Amino acid sequence: MADADRSATRRRAQAPSRSHGNGASPVSKEISLRQFRYFRAAAETGQFSMAATEEHVSQSAITNAVIALERHLGVRLFDRLPHGVALTAEGNHLYQHVVRILEAVDDALHEPRFQMPRMQGKVAVAASYTVLGYFLPSLLARFRAHYPDVEFDLRDLDRPDIEAALLAGDIELGIVLLSNVERPERFAHHTLIRSRRQLWAQPGHPLLSGPPPTLKDIAAYPYILLTVDEGEASTLRYWKGSRYTPAVAFRTASMEALRGLVAHGFGVTVLSDMVFRPWSLEGKEIEARPVATAVPDMEVGMLWRRDAALAPPAEALRDFLSYACGR
């Protein structure tokens, strides 16, 4: 690191600690878990007003928490957009830390519920591409912290193969996009999260200005269609219900290819917040905004057999995931 960079870093670190006097850490005085919660809500909803509704506080409480964090860190955490906010690179970096901090605090407070000393064994679990890439790893890491002697037999399978493996008894738990499951009554199941679908577009795109766009509005522009994890079928399902058809310019099974195409202005797409990132691999920005037409959320959940009891490690994982996603 250059000397100028070191000096700037020291100035930012020292600036908030002007007059504590008693030697206490400035973080303990100026930053609270409540501010972290409000920041997380703003990051996840993309709007201070929606974050306030989620946290049952005034919008000014969310705004003040974010401003306090920005002043303390000396960086801008959000880009303010006409229709909401988007994390900056620094904001995304803080968000990753904040999520881990709040999860660790939550786990510590509820740890007695999950303490089963000396539990050992293996749990066979399968997940589809999207779930495995964007949802499951951090949860499995938290579970392992509680049950270090439980091993994972983790498999990457498509949704039909997960269903077949469950019915054959080859795996105990399947974690899938529940909205894609055919005949869900064959399984016991539990929804873990519902992730809002929004429009993704290049900054400055006409659909990002004015009122929230409808699917009719979106249909007037080239559309990038994600095909992985039955994405094409699930997308066209709700488009069919709207009586409009997306003007598909590109189909891709690669999430990063889709981000690059959107960021470079080749088209727009509608995808869930769970997989949203505000930039492509090249660092070009992507913006998201709500869609006025009712679009179903993407549901992620667990499947297991109705006619067979789960072994203790699998039961512990099922219960932990239910608890961890119950926020």
Side-chain angles (χ1 to χ4, degrees):
M1 181 184 292
D3 291 342
D5 290 340
R6 290 194 187 96
S7 299
T9 301
R10 283 196 296 269
R11 285 196 298 272
R12 286 198 300 268
Q14 292 167 1
S17 58
R18 287 182 291 271
S19 58
H20 293 287
N22 60 0
S25 165
V27 174
S28 66
K29 289 287 187 181
E30 298 185 15
I31 302 301
S32 68
L33 291 177
R34 180 180 293 108
Q35 289 171 320
F36 279 170
R37 285 205 324 272
Y38 294 173
F39 166 75
R40 177 180 65 181
E44 292 177 351
T45 61
Q47 292 184 326
F48 287 180
S49 58
M50 291 180 63
T53 299
E54 185 173 285
E55 292 293 327
H56 307 290
V57 296
S58 66
Q59 184 171 333
S60 63
I62 303 293
T63 303
N64 291 339
V66 170
I67 290 173
L69 287 170
E70 289 180 326
R71 286 177 176 170
H72 182 84
L73 297 172
V75 297
R76 192 177 75 255
L77 300 174
F78 290 100
D79 285 325
R80 274 66 170 179
L81 308 173
H83 55 274
V85 294
L87 287 170
T88 62
E90 294 83 0
N92 186 66
H93 184 68
L94 177 64
Y95 173 74
Q96 304 304 322
H97 286 292
V98 164
V99 168
R100 289 194 294 269
I101 290 167
L102 294 176
E103 287 175 349
V105 171
D106 205 25
D107 287 350
L109 294 175
H110 294 84
E111 189 169 4
R113 293 176 54 191
F114 297 102
Q115 285 296 353
M116 298 182 69
R118 305 172 70 88
M119 178 184 281
Q120 297 180 339
K122 182 181 291 186
V123 52
V125 57
S128 57
Y129 166 85
T130 304
V131 173
L132 206 52
Y134 294 92
F135 175 70
L136 199 54
S138 64
L139 291 166
L140 294 182
R142 291 170 62 189
F143 176 82
R144 185 173 58 185
H146 290 283
Y147 301 105
D149 295 324
V150 173
E151 298 179 27
F152 294 113
D153 176 4
L154 182 60
R155 309 181 195 183
D156 180 358
L157 299 174
D158 292 334
R159 189 269 309 165
D161 294 331
I162 291 174
E163 294 183 23
L166 280 168
L167 294 173
D170 294 335
I171 60 172
E172 296 163 282
L173 288 173
I175 305 175
V176 298
L177 305 183
L178 285 181
S179 49
N180 293 340
V181 174
E182 299 174 1
R183 295 170 52 212
E185 69 277 1
R186 294 177 296 160
F187 305 97
H189 56 90
H190 176 77
T191 299
L192 295 173
I193 64 164
R194 292 181 174 87
S195 183
R196 170 188 56 174
R197 286 182 168 103
Q198 295 199 88
L199 171 74
W200 298 12
Q202 180 188 44
H205 194 282
L207 290 173
L208 296 176
S209 60
T214 64
L215 289 181
K216 179 181 178 181
D217 299 326
I218 295 169
Y221 294 89
Y223 193 89
I224 315 298
L225 184 60
L226 188 68
T227 60
V228 72
D229 251 354
E230 303 171 278
E232 182 166 359
S234 60
T235 296
L236 296 181
R237 194 180 304 134
Y238 63 77
W239 272 94
K240 183 178 179 181
S242 75
R243 298 176 303 185
Y244 298 100
T245 303
V248 177
F250 297 94
R251 286 176 168 84
T252 178
S254 167
M255 187 70 72
E256 296 307 332
L258 178 142
R259 287 198 184 95
L261 289 167
V262 171
H264 282 277
F266 285 96
V268 300
T269 195
V270 176
L271 284 174
S272 81
D273 288 346
M274 188 183 82
V275 297
F276 178 71
R277 302 293 182 272
W279 45 76
S280 67
L281 279 178
E282 310 100 309
K284 291 188 69 66
E285 289 188 46
I286 300 169
E287 291 187 18
R289 71 171 310 189
V291 177
T293 308
V295 174
D297 293 342
M298 186 180 76
E299 289 189 53
V300 178
M302 297 181 288
L303 301 174
W304 63 96
R305 288 177 59 176
R306 288 185 178 278
D307 59 350
L310 292 173
E315 185 177 21
L317 178 58
R318 180 195 63 188
D319 292 348
F320 180 83
L321 291 176
S322 298
Y323 143 75
C325 296
R327 177 173 64 84

